[in-house]
Amino acid sequence: MKRLCFLSPDMDHARRVVADLKANGVAEKYLYALAKYGVDMEDLPDAGPESDDFLEAYKRGVEVGGTTGLLVGLSALAFPPSGIVVGGGLVLLLGLWGAGFAGLLTGLAGAAFPSSRLQAFESAIDQGQILIMADVPKGEVDKYESLIKAHDPEVSVEGIEPPASLIPK
């Protein structure tokens, strides 16, 4: 899959393009729309997890927390506290606990910030444009790009790789 990102100048244009993409085979679960706070987007697909940095921060937290937990467990194995027998199970347990705890905390912190992947579009969104994102098959990128440009030949369509979901679809 390839994610196509483009800015729509207004809501009517965004609705027409989204309807056209749906009519040409893009499922609604692969369409996302993002506008500035307060804009009514009742019939456009929600940006969902694309609007904040929860998933990116969660992944970083799992990596750092798991590594830290494993290092603490290995330290306890090498230098056991007096009177306590430390085994490999504790090392694994500390690694998993560190990954889960740090992932949760950093994910919650990341949810408070707008998506860093979409910073290039931030000023245009603040000016009232609507960001439309569509995940399309890599072999059909040209087809969907021309479909989008049929609505507005001036539109700039950018392709980015969609983030891999933590839970497979």
Side-chain angles (χ1 to χ4, degrees):
M1 297 290 265
K2 183 83 166 178
R3 173 156 300 160
L4 300 179
C5 300
F6 61 95
L7 290 163
S8 180
D10 56 43
M11 288 300 282
D12 292 331
H13 180 269
R15 286 186 183 106
R16 286 193 310 270
V17 172
V18 167
D20 206 6
L21 287 168
K22 285 181 189 177
N24 282 282
V26 179
E28 185 159 353
K29 69 180 182 177
Y30 296 122
L31 290 170
Y32 311 97
L34 185 64
K36 71 179 179 178
Y37 182 75
V39 173
D40 186 23
M41 297 184 32
E42 75 273 347
D43 53 347
L44 287 176
D46 185 30
E50 303 304 317
S51 62
D52 59 41
D53 256 354
F54 176 82
L55 292 177
E56 291 297 318
Y58 179 78
K59 284 189 255 184
R60 285 190 301 269
V62 166
E63 292 167 358
V64 171
T67 303
T68 303
L70 285 175
L71 290 175
V72 168
L74 290 172
S75 298
L77 193 59
F79 309 105
S82 61
I84 298 176
V85 177
V86 178
L90 179 67
V91 174
L92 180 63
L93 181 67
L94 285 173
L96 292 173
W97 184 84
F101 186 69
L104 178 66
L105 289 182
T106 58
L108 290 174
F113 297 100
S115 176
S116 57
R117 293 171 53 92
L118 304 177
Q119 281 181 340
F121 303 103
E122 193 173 330
S123 64
I125 292 171
D126 288 341
Q127 292 172 5
Q129 295 184 27
I130 296 95
L131 175 65
I132 308 291
M133 297 169 279
D135 294 340
V136 300
K138 283 186 180 181
E140 299 179 17
V141 169
D142 292 335
K143 168 189 167 186
Y144 289 108
E145 240 182 84
S146 62
L147 187 134
I148 293 166
K149 287 188 181 257
H151 289 276
D152 183 4
E154 306 277 321
V155 73
S156 172
V157 180
E158 296 182 28
I160 60 173
E161 291 298 321
S165 63
L166 292 176
I167 302 169
K169 294 179 183 177

